[in-house]
Amino acid sequence: MTVTPLGIPRRLLEFTLDGEPVRAPEGSTILDACRAAGKDVPTLCEGDTLTPKNACRVCVVEVEGSRTLVPACSRKAEAGMEVRTGTERARHSRKVVLELLASSVDLSTTPRVAEWLKEYGAKPDRFGPDAARVNEEPRVDNGLYVRDYGKCILCYKCVDACGDQWQNTFAISVAGRGFGARVAVEHDAPLTDSACVYCGNCIEVCPTGALSFKSEFDMRGAGTWDESRQTRTTTVCAYCGVGCNLTLHVQDNEIVKVTSPHDNPVTHGNLCIKGRFGYQHVQNRD
């Protein structure tokens, strides 16, 4: 039997979405309404467990009466508003943003980006070979996860997850200015010398693969990483009595990484170092 939580009743707002009348619960964003209506609006910096920062600007839409395009991920739906998601202006803006991102960072491990580049006719190579790129070697300074700034789009999701929205460790922040800005620990020290507690919640929210399990990084380098061959099994962490849910990603009978369901009322996708990385004993064959 499926039990649907009732939650707190919310008043429904009526507005127009691409010429069609829709209803959305009060407090919903335009992006929430688009998804409920089956409309595919691309986004990179939005996360279902975080307050959006409006950083990537890929989800912009037109709202009648608004001088500028608005980010659907954070703009709240309002009664009577008229929203258009597929206008030439909105599509052109998404195209340019995708071109700028793809010309400066490596988006090869970012889900759906190749699809979006094709859909919007984005051509990152039009800026030529002299376009500035973040060509940094991945930072491998610990045995748990890797920081690859060459894939970072500065979406701020990892900073928020490490900060006051979840972990409250505040180990990382954005350092530098302009094109030299990047996510870093204090004094840009090695991760092992920082305040990082290795919860891995930053990895959970990273949309581009700039943060990844060391196991995934090594397997990608060896050409053996294959998500189509992986199974996912959700279980309960056995380390303590909190009851955190773990989703074990298994390939060739080996756990390759651990995530947590975002809709779980205990974890909301977050874990500690034991739950996220303490799985090696499970596959000790000795």
Side-chain angles (χ1 to χ4, degrees):
M1 181 179 66
T2 302
V3 179
T4 302
L6 295 177
I8 301 174
R10 291 192 290 173
R11 183 168 62 96
L12 292 178
L13 304 174
E14 295 186 4
F15 62 99
T16 302
L17 182 60
D18 289 335
E20 299 290 333
V22 295
R23 289 184 174 184
E26 188 175 30
S28 299
T29 64
I30 294 175
L31 186 59
D32 292 333
C34 288
R35 287 172 172 169
K39 295 186 179 295
D40 184 21
V41 176
T43 180
L44 290 172
C45 71
E46 185 268 346
D48 57 353
T49 63
L50 297 168
T51 301
K53 270 287 196 295
N54 315 327
C56 75
R57 315 301 286 189
V58 179
C59 69
V60 291
V61 297
E62 274 199 79
V63 174
E64 184 69 27
S66 177
R67 180 178 59 84
T68 61
L69 296 171
V70 302
C73 68
S74 62
R75 178 66 180 269
K76 299 295 184 182
E78 300 174 13
M81 72 184 340
E82 294 184 22
V83 180
R84 294 184 292 275
T85 65
T87 64
E88 180 60 30
R89 186 184 180 196
R91 290 182 61 86
H92 179 72
S93 177
R94 293 174 196 159
K95 171 188 174 182
V96 173
V97 169
L98 287 168
E99 287 178 336
L100 291 171
L101 288 175
S103 68
S104 58
V105 299
D106 175 12
L107 298 181
S108 61
T109 55
T110 305
R112 300 197 62 191
V113 159
E115 171 191 338
W116 294 335
L117 290 173
K118 182 178 180 180
E119 177 183 350
Y120 292 98
K123 299 178 179 179
D125 57 353
R126 73 183 179 91
F127 298 110
D130 296 328
R133 290 191 62 83
V134 182
N135 290 320
E136 281 197 30
E137 290 296 318
R139 298 194 182 188
V140 187
D141 53 13
N142 67 92
L144 300 182
Y145 72 94
V146 176
R147 297 176 291 164
D148 189 350
Y149 289 129
K151 296 180 179 179
C152 179
I153 61 170
L154 291 177
C155 67
Y156 290 83
K157 292 173 74 173
C158 61
V159 176
D160 289 340
C162 185
D164 59 3
Q165 291 197 34
W166 285 116
Q167 188 62 27
N168 285 289
T169 297
F170 301 97
I172 56 177
S173 184
V174 175
R177 300 295 181 96
F179 197 77
R182 64 205 59 245
V183 178
V185 301
E186 189 175 4
H187 304 303
D188 204 17
L191 207 61
T192 50
D193 296 334
S194 73
C196 177
V197 295
Y198 298 95
C199 63
N201 294 330
C202 54
I203 307 173
E204 184 76 37
V205 299
C206 179
T208 64
L211 301 171
S212 65
F213 275 70
K214 179 67 162 51
S215 54
E216 178 179 347
F217 177 80
D218 290 342
M219 291 177 68
R220 285 187 183 277
T224 57
W225 181 264
D226 187 354
E227 292 187 5
S228 66
R229 293 163 50 202
Q230 295 175 12
T231 60
R232 300 185 181 188
T233 303
T234 298
T235 183
V236 178
C237 181
Y239 276 105
C240 72
V242 173
C244 298
N245 277 198
L246 312 179
T247 299
L248 308 179
H249 299 242
V250 179
Q251 180 177 325
D252 298 331
N253 204 32
E254 295 281 344
I255 300 172
V256 293
K257 74 174 183 179
V258 176
T259 58
S260 183
H262 288 198
D263 59 354
N264 182 266
V266 177
T267 62
H268 300 284
N270 298 289
L271 295 169
C272 73
I273 183 174
K274 294 179 181 179
R276 183 85 62 187
F277 297 108
Y279 57 83
Q280 289 79 4
H281 67 284
V282 176
Q283 46 206 31
N284 187 347
R285 305 295 194 260
D286 297 334

